[in-house]
Amino acid sequence: MIPPDLTRWELLTKGVLESIRMALAASFFGMLLAVPLGICGAKNLVPTPVYLVARALIILSRTFHEIIIAIFFVKIFGFGPLAGVLTLVVASTSFISKMIAEDIENMAPGKLEAIRATGATFPKLLIYCISPNTLPRYLGVSIYRLDANIRHSTVVGIVGAGGIGQTLAASFSRYDYGFSLAILMTIVSLVFAGEFFSNWIRSRLR
């Protein structure tokens, strides 16, 4: 494996950019889908049947590891980044929605009762009571999930779900260990960069 083979930097760059795009797209759609699912998963906010359905979806999506979900989507949609994006969307939605639901359920009951006592509608309850209490943690968790998606995007590719992981798997299958080391070094650098970016964003939100 030594020295690393950096001669095919175009292929390396293409895989890294694909992983980053996968992580960004999955984080964006996961943030959007997690809001209604998280609200429906809060027992103190919605009727029991709605709560049970939402919680069942959250639990079911969190049951399987990303690799298992990636294999499932690869079988449906074939090899490529689409399967990876869908895998990370499922993981992001389940993770963020669980945090939202728990934040809402942990709110002081008096806050909800005070807003309801004014005759506020459900949308106003969300705007004036739920949003101020959950928005800071929602943003923090979403940024953390973006950092996690950057890492996971390099892993799901091993089963054919796009990104730099798929390039890594192909290099191992060809016994091209010099290029494999170059890819591994790039993945480590990418994860470090994502960690620093995540910490910087969270510091600016405080």
Side-chain angles (χ1 to χ4, degrees):
M1 296 180 74
I2 298 173
D5 181 9
L6 298 172
T7 57
R8 281 166 288 173
W9 60 269
E10 299 96 341
L11 183 60
L12 196 60
T13 302
K14 180 182 177 182
V16 169
L17 292 177
E18 188 171 79
S19 287
I20 293 174
R21 288 195 293 265
M22 287 168 55
L24 291 173
S27 299
F28 175 75
F29 288 109
M31 289 173 65
L32 294 181
L33 295 173
V35 173
L37 186 60
I39 291 173
C40 293
K43 192 173 185 179
N44 57 343
L45 203 60
V46 296
T48 301
V50 176
Y51 163 78
L52 293 176
V53 171
R55 279 291 178 171
L57 291 174
I58 293 173
I59 293 171
L60 182 63
S61 60
R62 289 174 58 83
T63 300
F64 301 102
H65 192 273
E66 283 87 352
I67 293 296
I68 304 299
I69 300 175
I71 293 173
F72 177 75
F73 281 125
V74 166
K75 291 297 183 181
I76 296 176
F77 299 104
F79 295 106
L82 177 60
V85 170
L86 292 175
T87 298
L88 297 178
V89 166
V90 171
S92 300
T93 302
S94 63
F95 182 81
I96 300 174
S97 61
K98 185 176 187 295
M99 297 297 105
I100 293 175
E102 290 181 353
D103 277 355
I104 296 174
E105 289 181 343
N106 291 333
M107 287 177 55
K111 294 181 179 181
L112 290 172
E113 293 172 1
I115 298 295
R116 284 170 174 157
T118 64
T121 60
F122 188 74
K124 290 183 177 180
L125 181 68
L126 296 178
I127 294 171
Y128 295 110
C129 183
I130 303 301
S131 295
N133 286 275
T134 59
L135 185 59
R137 179 157 168 83
Y138 167 72
L139 293 176
V141 169
S142 298
I143 293 168
Y144 169 78
R145 189 63 216 184
L146 173 61
D147 177 40
N149 282 340
I150 291 176
R151 298 195 307 270
H152 293 160
S153 67
T154 64
V155 176
V156 296
I158 294 176
V159 295
I164 191 65
Q166 190 167 348
T167 309
L168 177 63
S171 69
F172 274 123
S173 65
R174 295 193 304 265
Y175 306 101
D176 191 358
Y177 297 128
F179 190 45
S180 299
L181 179 58
I183 295 172
L184 290 172
M185 291 170 59
T186 303
I187 290 174
V188 171
S189 301
L190 181 63
V191 172
F192 268 102
E195 181 70 22
F196 284 122
F197 175 75
S198 175
N199 290 336
W200 178 75
I201 292 293
R202 284 199 296 267
S203 67
R204 296 298 295 270
L205 290 174
R206 293 192 185 101

